[in-house]
Amino acid sequence: MDSVDDRWYKDAVLYELSVRTFADGNGDGIGDFRGLTQRLDYLEGLGVTAIWLLPFQPSPWRDDGYDVTDHYGVHPDFGDIGDFVRFVEHARDRGLRVIIDLVLNHTSREHRWFQAARRGDPRFHDYYVWADTKPPDAERGVVFPGVQKTTWTYDRAARRYYFHRFYDFQPDLNIASPAVRDEMEKIIGFWLNLGISGFRVDAVPFLVEPTSATNTSPGPNLDWLGTFRSYLSWRSGDAVLLGEANVPREQIPDYFGRGGLHMMFDFEVNQRLWLALARQEAAPLVEALRDTSGIPGADQWAMFLRNNDELDLGRLSDDERRTVFRRFAPSKRMQLYDRGIRRRLAPMLGGDRALQELAFALLLALPGTPVLFYGDEIGMGDDLALPERLAVRTPMQWSEAPNAGFSAAPRSQLAQPVISRGAFAYRDVNVAAEQREDDALLLFVQRAIRTRRRLRELKGTWEPLRVREPSVLALRYELDASPLVTLHNLGSTAVHVHGVRAQGLVDVFANRAYQPPRRAVELDAYGFRWLRDPAAA
Ligand code: NOJ
Ligand code: CA
């Protein structure tokens, strides 16, 4: 019998949410830990096994909380540290783990460390990255082109320039400073002690890039990241680091290896999945899966369709990116930073139900840990009137009640406007309605998640199968000699798939009831089938 890997993150299903826009428990218009705790039943019912919380620490909230002013606290709008701990306890009671965003690349400009640093306090000056004159490459490497002009900004009090990879209100911390490294260890120790299971580490490549004059090592500081990981594992044996590291393929082994990340988001697969959907051809996705497959046993990819940011297509060629734009974001206002799409899943797929089902089935059948973005499971839309990435961060739509049941406050007080017009308005798209309807998208996603969770073959080995039909992605998993074949048709015409040995296998999950597979396997337009050995059931 093959030994099954029982590391929890290997068969987790993650759900990404922002406390601020999920559920308002005290009626002030802003989501909070009390509201979120009350909605744990929903998440348990959905079948996800872990929650990833976007930043919730004190912050002036100029980059949706990614501009932290105190790494040891909870923003007062969301409750206090006791409410956080209660939430974690209640989540654990339901078997749900919690991981939180860890933003260490930079702080808010208003952080007391930066305020002390700019006033010349010798204890804090080296916490950040400074230069006496503006470096010549200051206009290169901005992360938000079109919005951000430079990576070096003059500070009048310090009379020096400080480095910021992101917006000018997010000065980069200097990880070459031993005091900063010590702070970082203190921060992870603090949160681990409150019962969480790990961190989604923000902006890893920038966190480890050598930026300071005091840091002379040529490449990324991955050895430091490895030490950081050892510290984490010493404090808590089953805690994970899930890295946000959109790096070129050749660097990936080092981020897992020397850097010690347990998981990384698979940006390569994400972009090529969208290219595959745009072209109705599985080849780009198969290539990406092959390219990223060579990672050792304990390491794991995190797969996703959409998240809280723009869909970054920066790794595609100009032509490929144009193809994806044409199909999924044809107007300029749907695009962002010359490289991405600021739309949610459902509108990108034109609200088409078959396509949405295909996308979820595909996500849940890929070799990696799936990560869902809140609201996509009910087919929520976006609000392009909101700036930049806020378009996809509107409040969760719970019911037909005012403010989508998100909050009892007057509409004008809401943290973000709810979507109340158009095809994705909350009166039509909401949890309560979908829980009443037998054929709702929500129930489909629930079933897909629960099916995935009981298929142990997905923990086995896998390989893409060669099939003659270009629109079909065929994967074969195997564990203890028991196979699982998953077929997904990315094309808008029905096909018969040749070349898969599926006779004798039975459907465990499919877009509809099919005849048992013969020499060829039938698939509808955008259809899918997961086929298994009947003896394994
Ligand atoms: C990546 C986060 O996902 C994004 O939302 C944020 O703006 C940047 N990192 C800066 O923290
Ligand atoms: Ca509130």
Side-chain angles (χ1 to χ4, degrees):
M1 195 154 147
D2 294 343
S3 65
V4 173
D5 197 332
D6 62 352
R7 293 175 175 88
W8 71 266
Y9 54 91
K10 288 225 147 181
D11 59 355
V13 179
L14 257 66
Y15 188 89
E16 169 192 5
L17 69 88
S18 163
V19 180
R20 188 165 184 266
T21 48
F22 202 63
D24 173 14
N26 67 353
D28 67 353
I30 306 171
D32 46 48
F33 279 109
R34 202 209 291 179
L36 172 57
T37 307
Q38 287 161 355
R39 295 295 185 177
L40 281 169
D41 293 338
Y42 169 74
L43 296 177
E44 188 186 5
L46 182 58
V48 298
T49 64
I51 301 166
W52 152 27
L53 295 182
L54 292 164
F56 54 80
Q57 288 81 1
S59 158
W61 222 263
R62 294 184 61 192
D63 181 18
D64 238 346
Y66 282 98
D67 45 339
V68 176
T69 48
D70 175 7
H71 289 89
Y72 300 101
V74 169
H75 192 300
D77 284 347
F78 310 148
D80 57 27
I81 201 89
D83 296 311
F84 172 80
V85 170
R86 179 173 287 170
F87 155 70
V88 174
E89 284 168 355
H90 284 234
R92 302 260 347 198
D93 287 348
R94 288 170 168 75
L96 293 166
R97 291 177 180 264
V98 177
I99 68 171
I100 68 170
D101 232 292
L102 184 67
V103 190
L104 298 178
N105 176 67
H106 47 265
T107 68
S108 161
R109 195 158 50 188
E110 292 171 34
H111 196 293
R112 68 181 173 81
W113 298 340
F114 189 73
Q115 289 306 318
R118 63 193 288 259
R119 289 199 203 93
D121 183 331
R123 240 191 89 201
F124 292 104
H125 197 70
D126 274 354
Y127 271 43
Y128 296 88
V129 182
W130 301 97
D132 290 330
T133 51
K134 193 168 190 166
D137 60 353
E139 265 70 57
R140 283 219 325 258
V142 297
V143 176
F144 303 127
V147 184
Q148 177 195 0
K149 301 252 169 330
T150 176
T151 56
W152 288 90
T153 293
Y154 187 69
D155 182 81
R156 282 217 224 143
R159 296 211 224 117
R160 298 179 85 187
Y161 290 84
Y162 63 91
F163 178 70
H164 52 91
R165 180 53 75 185
F166 296 92
Y167 298 108
D168 60 359
F169 53 82
Q170 289 166 320
D172 271 42
L173 283 165
N174 172 22
I175 65 156
S177 148
V180 166
R181 294 181 181 197
D182 190 51
E183 293 276 6
M184 290 178 175
E185 293 189 349
K186 246 167 66 184
I187 293 165
I188 60 168
F190 174 82
W191 291 105
L192 288 173
N193 265 296
L194 299 183
I196 62 160
S197 296
F199 301 91
R200 177 267 193 191
V201 192
D202 187 52
V204 182
F206 302 125
L207 175 64
V208 298
E209 76 184 329
T211 41
S212 156
T214 55
N215 183 355
T216 48
S217 72
N221 262 298
L222 290 168
D223 292 328
W224 165 74
L225 190 60
T227 317
F228 189 69
R229 144 78 189 263
S230 308
Y231 179 81
L232 169 104
S233 301
W234 171 58
R235 303 304 304 227
S236 172
D238 66 351
V240 298
L241 293 178
L242 162 55
E244 186 216 12
N246 185 353
V247 293
R249 251 164 272 180
E250 54 283 7
Q251 291 183 22
I252 287 165
D254 255 4
Y255 275 75
F256 277 124
R258 271 199 300 147
L261 296 175
H262 300 80
M263 289 203 275
M264 281 168 82
F265 289 104
D266 200 330
F267 286 95
E268 196 74 45
V269 162
N270 176 252
Q271 306 186 24
R272 298 204 172 263
L273 183 150
W274 283 102
L275 178 62
L277 286 172
R279 285 194 186 151
Q280 306 199 17
E281 259 178 41
L285 182 51
V286 173
E287 270 164 41
L289 288 169
R290 283 220 174 89
D291 286 346
T292 59
S293 66
I295 57 170
D299 301 341
Q300 174 79 345
W301 287 112
M303 301 294 184
F304 60 104
L305 297 166
R306 287 291 292 112
N307 61 21
N308 59 316
D309 286 323
E310 82 282 8
L311 166 60
D312 186 343
L313 302 169
R315 299 209 167 274
L316 302 184
S317 71
D318 292 351
D319 242 22
E320 293 169 335
R321 193 175 318 110
R322 268 195 295 273
T323 304
V324 182
F325 278 157
R326 215 175 300 126
R327 175 84 201 278
F328 296 119
S331 100
K332 270 273 171 226
R333 58 193 225 117
M334 300 169 174
Q335 303 167 11
L336 192 61
Y337 310 138
D338 308 326
R339 62 164 182 247
I341 297 178
R342 57 186 205 110
R343 303 184 82 191
R344 265 192 184 263
L345 182 70
M348 282 179 76
L349 299 179
D352 184 306
R353 180 59 186 275
L355 256 173
Q356 286 179 81
E357 290 193 4
L358 172 76
F360 277 109
L362 194 55
L363 170 71
L364 289 159
L366 289 176
T369 297
V371 186
L372 280 77
F373 181 45
Y374 82 95
D376 281 350
E377 75 277 18
I378 55 169
M380 259 172 63
D382 43 51
D383 182 350
L384 295 176
L386 297 171
E388 295 177 67
R389 294 156 293 151
L390 292 184
V392 300
R393 301 175 183 176
T394 60
M396 182 67 177
Q397 296 173 191
W398 293 104
S399 70
E400 301 81 345
N403 301 330
F406 159 72
S407 169
R411 197 170 155 184
S412 58
Q413 277 179 33
L414 298 188
Q416 285 259 87
V418 296
I419 294 183
S420 54
R421 275 179 306 196
F424 302 94
Y426 69 82
R427 284 179 201 87
D428 300 315
V429 177
N430 66 68
V431 171
E434 297 198 26
Q435 279 172 336
R436 284 192 305 260
E437 293 158 17
D438 288 341
D439 65 344
L441 178 66
L442 174 61
L443 297 190
F444 170 84
V445 176
Q446 226 163 51
R447 210 151 54 81
I449 293 174
R450 291 188 177 273
T451 308
R452 180 198 157 94
R453 284 183 56 193
R454 67 185 169 80
L455 295 178
R456 36 197 309 283
E457 294 90 338
L458 289 167
K459 294 194 207 171
T461 56
W462 64 273
E463 57 172 350
L465 296 177
R466 257 173 209 279
V467 290
R468 251 183 272 155
E469 296 64 31
S471 66
V472 174
L473 175 76
L475 297 178
R476 184 177 193 280
Y477 289 86
E478 186 173 319
L479 184 77
D480 295 336
S482 178
L484 173 80
V485 172
T486 64
L487 301 170
H488 294 84
N489 181 13
L490 315 187
S492 52
T493 30
V495 286
H496 280 85
V497 190
H498 295 85
V500 202
R501 276 178 295 124
Q503 269 157 310
L505 302 186
V506 295
D507 286 303
V508 274
F509 191 53
N511 63 298
R512 68 164 167 91
Y514 286 98
Q515 292 297 319
R518 296 167 197 266
R519 283 169 65 104
V521 190
E522 185 190 3
L523 272 184
D524 292 345
Y526 304 130
F528 63 88
R529 301 173 73 165
W530 299 357
L531 294 148
R532 188 188 207 192
D533 187 339

